[in-house]
């Protein structure tokens, strides 16, 4: 009984800490995953932000003889946007830099997906939902993903 209660408590705690699918913004892309990710990376660097990593999830899966539809994650940031959030609460550093996932769904459609920064940082003390840096992060993610999505 103790194990079941512990598992239930841990499961509920994990749910509270994870993003809701309702908080994730999705933008339909016109190209394949690699081309869309290249366009996103170009847009990010063109905007003056720093790309910290490009993670190829499908490549990782292939490395352990597992199949996964094309999926890549771009981790990037701009200290002008992220630093004020971390000044307000250092725990914001757990959620920053920003991330955008480019993936192919079960129907073969490619999407760019990211969590709304207001929701990402919502439960941290000292982070105001109306903070200018939240609006700037949201705007940057919207502009960058729209650019990368193509026509």
């Amino acid at each position: 009984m103790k194990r079941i209660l512990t598992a239930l408590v841990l499961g509920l705690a994990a749910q509270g800490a994870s993003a809701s699918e309702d908080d994730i913004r999705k933008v339909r892309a016109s190209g394949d995953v690699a081309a869309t990710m290249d366009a996103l990376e170009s847009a990010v660097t063109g905007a003056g932000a720093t790309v910290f990593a490009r993670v190829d999830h499908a490549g990782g899966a292939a490395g352990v003889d597992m199949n996964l539809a094309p999926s890549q994650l771009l981790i990037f940031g701009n200290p002008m946007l992220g630093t004020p959030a971390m000044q307000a609460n250092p725990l914001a550093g757990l959620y920053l830099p920003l991330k955008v996932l480019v993936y192919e769904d079960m129907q073969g459609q490619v999407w760019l997906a990211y969590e709304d920064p207001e929701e990402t940082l919502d439960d941290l003390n000292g982070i105001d939902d109306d903070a200018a840096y939240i609006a700037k992060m949201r705007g940057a993610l919207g502009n960058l993903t729209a650019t990368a999505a193509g026509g």
Side-chain angles (χ1 to χ4, degrees):
M1 181 67 159
K2 197 180 232 183
R3 285 184 184 165
I4 294 171
L5 185 57
T6 301
L8 179 61
V9 169
L10 290 174
L12 290 174
Q15 281 182 338
S18 64
S20 163
E21 206 165 321
D22 293 339
D23 300 333
I24 296 175
R25 306 292 180 245
K26 290 171 50 177
V27 179
R28 183 185 297 257
S30 61
D32 64 17
V33 169
T36 302
M37 182 57 83
D38 288 344
L40 178 62
E41 189 169 357
S42 178
V44 166
T45 57
T50 301
V51 171
F52 296 108
R54 182 169 169 166
V55 180
D56 182 355
H57 291 306
V64 293
D65 294 324
M66 296 179 75
N67 291 321
L68 183 65
S71 176
Q72 295 185 24
L73 180 75
L74 194 69
I75 303 169
F76 61 94
N78 180 335
M80 294 297 291
L81 298 181
T83 300
M86 289 184 274
Q87 288 172 328
N89 187 328
L91 293 177
L94 288 169
Y95 306 102
L96 298 173
L98 299 172
K99 294 169 269 317
V100 173
L101 178 70
V102 179
Y103 70 99
E104 182 181 302
D105 69 15
M106 304 263 293
Q107 290 74 41
Q109 176 59 55
V110 174
W111 298 90
L112 295 106
Y114 61 92
E115 186 176 18
D116 184 327
E118 180 182 334
E119 299 301 328
T120 304
L121 302 172
D122 191 44
D123 292 332
L124 296 179
N125 291 328
I127 304 286
D128 182 6
D129 288 348
D130 297 326
Y133 54 83
I134 296 284
K136 288 179 183 177
M137 286 179 196
R138 183 183 288 131
L141 285 163
N143 291 336
L144 294 168
T145 55
T147 298

